[in-house]
Amino acid sequence: MKKIILSSVLFSTLAFAGPAQAPATASAKTTNAISFKAAAGETEFSAVGKPAMIKINGKGQGPEGVITYVGDVISGTVKVDLNKLTTEIDLRDDHMKNKYLEVQKYPSADLTFKDFKSSMAVDKLTDSEIEMPFTADFTMHGKTKPVSGTMKIKKSQKTITGSAEFSVKIMEYLETLPSYAGIKIAEDVKLKIKFSGTLQ
Amino acid sequence: MKNILLLFCVLFAAINSFSFPDMIRHGYTNCTACHVSPGGGGLLNAYGRSLSKELISTWSTKNEAGVLHGLINTEKVDEWLALGGDIRGAQVHQENDLVKRGRWIDMQKGFEIGIIQPKWTIASFVGLQNVSENKWYPYSTRYYAMITPIDALYIKFGRFMPNFGINLPDHILSTRGPLMFGYGMERDTAEVSWLGENWNFIVSHYKTPENISANNQSGNTLTATYTVSNFKSGLQFLSEKDDLQTRTITGAIGYLGWSKEFGTLFEADQVVTSPSAGGPDKKGLSLIQRSAYEIFKGFHIVALNDYFQSDVDNGATKNYKFGPGIQWFPRPHLDLQAFWTREQTSTSKEGDYAWLVLHYYL
């Protein structure tokens, strides 16, 4: 009887545990990584300056960091160097970086994915660009808030390229609404992060 | 000779400090980015002064863009007080088979002050004006009060130029002086402007002072533009009536910022004049196209086409100028424009028409 029970337990273990170790799903559990280099991408932001409805556009380097993925689940953080941002007006840049963003204290803005389940696994991406929604945490000036937006992405051999667009409410991150020479920016700031990463 | 001088004054004198619509290249689509007035020109706001250093001028030092080159610190009052002023003069040269003439003309000296509050503004220009040779006297042809009940909405009334067309300083252009938007044409005006992020609507009603027209002239203007990226274009309409005639102008305007360095301004207007006493309508045309390329910061080369015909059925009324020019902002407070065009008219052989405008603003 003991043998029968032992055999049953052994069989059950093999029967249920066995398939989980099968090669078909083993690759889905493998953790892969994508490395992003700042110089290969670009960050753009746009805001409206009131009351004159000025369009304030700025840009900087792309994101840098490593994102990992297991199948369609993405994790990791990429950072954008805020010191490299420019609106092409020196004095305005000085105000933006030193008075409001305090880049000496908070040198980067971070986009963090925590087990974000994307609509398509990275391995299944092709050289045809697809668009997918995403959610992440955005950290700036020492404060972190969830953001959501749209990502356009494609893969060509070992290179992943695309862009992520989302909006932030600037007062969720800063104490005062940035102003310069009588122009105050509207609360909503649009961000577009163009990225290029390499599969590792 | 006096008449010729007066004509030159009328064509060239720039009673306002005019705006710099080429700023469309940098994404500045509304005049209020730099100027207190929604129609542009005149008093600079603090942001405009900053841009005059940061974006426009070839050279500058830290506080040079400020009032009096930064010699006085206005930082504490910049939020509510705007100070300005202008000194402007022009050298003109015209040469063809019928005439050869040239002269330096002092045009303008004046001081402008504005009190700016979040919801209202008052401003006035007081200065000295050369209306005829060597005669100067104080005047204030531009003054207004403005209410800004909400962002982007401006309600302005006073004596000023109604908003119409591209506000370039060259009053010789067919879309300025010949359409009666040149020197000394400030009218008693009420104007409502909606200057949104993309759409602009400006509606004006004006009554022309008697020193300009003694015929009970009044009119209305409507301008609507739409901005996509660094491209702004739209339509405009003017309807004007006095004791002798009615005048309508229908036109299109465009501010095209092809790149940070290259931009084009164009305006095309059809003018229809109908005598009150009856008789046929007269149709005229005013067209300008002005493309500028910034060779280096502050220095622009310009190509100009300027066509005017007061009566399309009468070729003798045609005047076409085309040619190159430069515009240079060497330092904050200084700008100069120089054009050397070929002029075609039906009354003379093709000749030269050149002008140089020097402008110092406070």
Side-chain angles (χ1 to χ4, degrees):
Chain A
M1 185 62 183
K2 280 184 180 175
K3 283 184 180 177
I4 294 171
I5 293 171
L6 189 60
S7 298
S8 298
V9 170
L10 187 60
F11 175 77
S12 301
T13 303
L14 290 172
F16 293 101
Q21 304 297 324
T25 54
S27 63
K29 292 285 186 183
T30 303
T31 299
N32 298 290
I34 312 168
S35 174
F36 294 94
K37 296 290 182 192
E42 187 178 66
T43 299
E44 299 172 352
F45 67 90
S46 62
V48 174
K50 293 184 174 183
M53 298 299 174
I54 295 169
K55 288 172 183 165
I56 300 167
N57 298 312
K59 62 184 177 183
Q61 286 191 337
E64 179 130 4
V66 176
I67 296 287
T68 59
Y69 66 93
V70 180
D72 55 3
V73 178
I74 296 171
S75 298
T77 297
V78 290
K79 295 173 178 289
V80 171
D81 186 351
L82 296 179
N83 269 301
K84 297 289 197 291
L85 292 182
T86 177
T87 62
E88 298 184 338
I89 297 178
D90 291 344
L91 191 56
R92 188 166 68 184
D93 290 351
D94 183 49
H95 282 219
M96 173 180 69
K97 288 192 258 191
N98 297 318
K99 187 175 178 183
Y100 297 106
L101 295 177
E102 298 184 278
V103 294
Q104 298 299 323
K105 197 172 173 185
Y106 309 104
S108 68
D110 305 343
L111 194 64
T112 301
F113 296 92
K114 291 179 182 172
D115 296 331
F116 167 66
K117 188 173 170 55
S118 67
S119 58
M120 181 181 283
V122 174
D123 287 338
K124 292 181 180 174
L125 292 172
T126 67
D127 57 2
S128 296
E129 188 174 78
I130 64 159
E131 192 171 311
M132 64 170 79
F134 75 91
T135 56
D137 284 343
F138 185 68
T139 302
M140 187 172 70
H141 201 247
K143 293 181 181 173
T144 301
K145 298 286 176 186
V147 294
S148 58
T150 306
M151 189 183 297
K152 292 177 180 174
I153 190 167
K154 65 180 179 180
K155 185 178 76 173
S156 177
Q157 295 182 334
K158 286 201 159 190
T159 303
I160 303 275
T161 55
S163 62
E165 292 185 54
F166 57 100
S167 294
V168 297
K169 293 204 175 294
I170 200 70
M171 285 304 287
E172 290 182 345
Y173 300 89
L174 305 178
E175 280 79 32
T176 54
L177 203 57
S179 69
Y180 169 67
I183 302 291
K184 283 191 175 182
I185 73 163
E187 198 176 345
D188 291 316
V189 176
K190 293 178 183 172
L191 290 136
K192 182 175 185 178
I193 299 175
K194 297 176 184 174
F195 55 81
S196 179
T198 306
L199 290 171
Q200 294 181 326
Chain B
M1 188 62 185
K2 193 174 179 180
N3 288 339
I4 292 170
L5 286 172
L6 188 59
L7 176 67
F8 279 161
C9 284
V10 168
L11 291 177
F12 286 100
I15 202 76
N16 295 310
S17 294
F18 287 84
S19 55
F20 184 40
D22 303 71
M23 289 295 282
I24 189 83
R25 293 182 287 111
H26 295 283
Y28 293 96
T29 57
N30 291 337
C31 302
T32 45
C34 298
H35 294 274
V36 174
S37 170
L43 285 172
L44 288 168
N45 56 35
Y47 196 85
R49 283 195 180 276
S50 179
L51 289 194
S52 75
K53 169 186 181 295
E54 301 282 343
L55 272 187
I56 292 179
S57 299
T58 304
W59 304 291
S60 61
T61 54
K62 189 179 175 186
N63 297 318
E64 191 176 349
V67 176
L68 284 174
H69 301 258
L71 290 176
I72 55 172
N73 185 356
T74 59
E75 198 174 330
K76 289 182 179 174
V77 297
D78 277 345
E79 285 197 2
W80 66 272
L81 182 67
L83 300 169
D86 301 274
I87 300 172
R88 197 183 299 254
Q91 175 71 38
V92 183
H93 173 80
Q94 185 180 25
E95 184 171 350
N96 56 42
D97 57 326
L98 299 178
V99 65
K100 180 178 180 179
R101 58 192 174 194
R103 187 179 167 89
W104 172 261
I105 304 165
D106 291 325
M107 299 188 304
Q108 181 190 21
K109 292 176 188 172
F111 179 76
E112 189 166 16
I113 184 169
I115 296 172
I116 305 163
Q117 292 295 306
K119 298 293 182 187
W120 57 268
T121 298
I122 54 174
S124 178
F125 186 99
V126 180
L128 296 164
Q129 177 186 6
N130 181 5
V131 290
S132 61
E133 190 175 10
N134 298 323
K135 288 191 177 178
W136 296 82
Y137 64 91
Y139 75 110
S140 177
T141 54
R142 185 170 76 241
Y143 45 85
Y144 58 85
M146 186 166 70
I147 302 166
T148 313
I150 56 173
D151 285 345
L153 180 63
Y154 302 85
I155 303 166
K156 182 181 174 187
F157 44 90
R159 179 166 290 187
F160 55 90
M161 193 88 76
N163 190 293
F164 194 80
I166 298 176
N167 196 9
L168 286 163
D170 316 81
H171 285 195
I172 190 175
L173 296 177
S174 63
T175 52
R176 303 311 295 162
L179 294 189
M180 305 301 284
F181 286 94
Y183 161 76
M185 289 292 122
E186 284 82 1
R187 285 102 151 170
D188 297 325
T189 306
E191 189 167 272
V192 179
S193 306
W194 171 261
L195 306 182
E197 200 178 335
N198 298 109
W199 282 104
N200 282 185
F201 298 100
I202 304 174
V203 182
S204 304
H205 173 75
Y206 63 85
K207 182 164 174 51
T208 307
E210 286 193 359
N211 64 317
I212 299 173
S213 170
N215 300 314
N216 297 312
Q217 188 183 78
S218 62
N220 302 289
T221 69
L222 169 63
T223 303
T225 59
Y226 187 74
T227 301
V228 178
S229 185
N230 292 348
F231 299 90
K232 178 177 180 177
S233 59
L235 300 173
Q236 58 184 5
F237 181 73
L238 177 146
S239 174
E240 183 182 85
K241 188 175 182 180
D242 62 26
D243 295 337
L244 304 177
Q245 63 179 23
T246 60
R247 182 174 75 132
T248 60
I249 304 175
T250 308
I253 52 177
Y255 309 71
L256 311 174
W258 306 109
S259 69
K260 297 269 187 217
E261 294 81 24
F262 183 49
T264 296
L265 306 173
F266 79 84
E267 180 173 347
D269 297 302
Q270 183 191 58
V271 185
V272 179
T273 309
S274 307
S276 300
D281 291 351
K282 188 172 79 173
K283 287 184 182 175
L285 283 175
S286 293
L287 306 164
I288 63 155
Q289 171 264 317
R290 182 184 181 280
S291 294
Y293 187 86
E294 190 170 17
I295 300 285
F296 56 87
K297 188 182 173 192
F299 188 89
H300 310 253
I301 54 171
V302 187
L304 177 69
N305 280 288
D306 180 21
Y307 184 90
F308 178 69
Q309 191 165 352
S310 61
D311 185 352
V312 295
D313 296 322
N314 180 2
T317 64
K318 169 191 156 184
N319 184 298
Y320 174 47
K321 297 184 187 71
F322 60 96
I326 60 164
Q327 184 168 26
W328 189 27
F329 301 86
R331 305 195 76 92
H333 304 280
L334 295 170
D335 75 78
L336 66 88
Q337 287 193 70
F339 283 88
W340 195 288
T341 65
R342 297 291 286 171
E343 182 185 37
Q344 294 177 349
T345 69
S346 58
T347 54
S348 65
K349 290 183 180 176
E350 184 174 303
D352 294 319
Y353 202 112
W355 64 94
L356 166 71
V357 179
L358 300 175
H359 177 214
Y360 171 82
Y361 60 93
L362 196 55

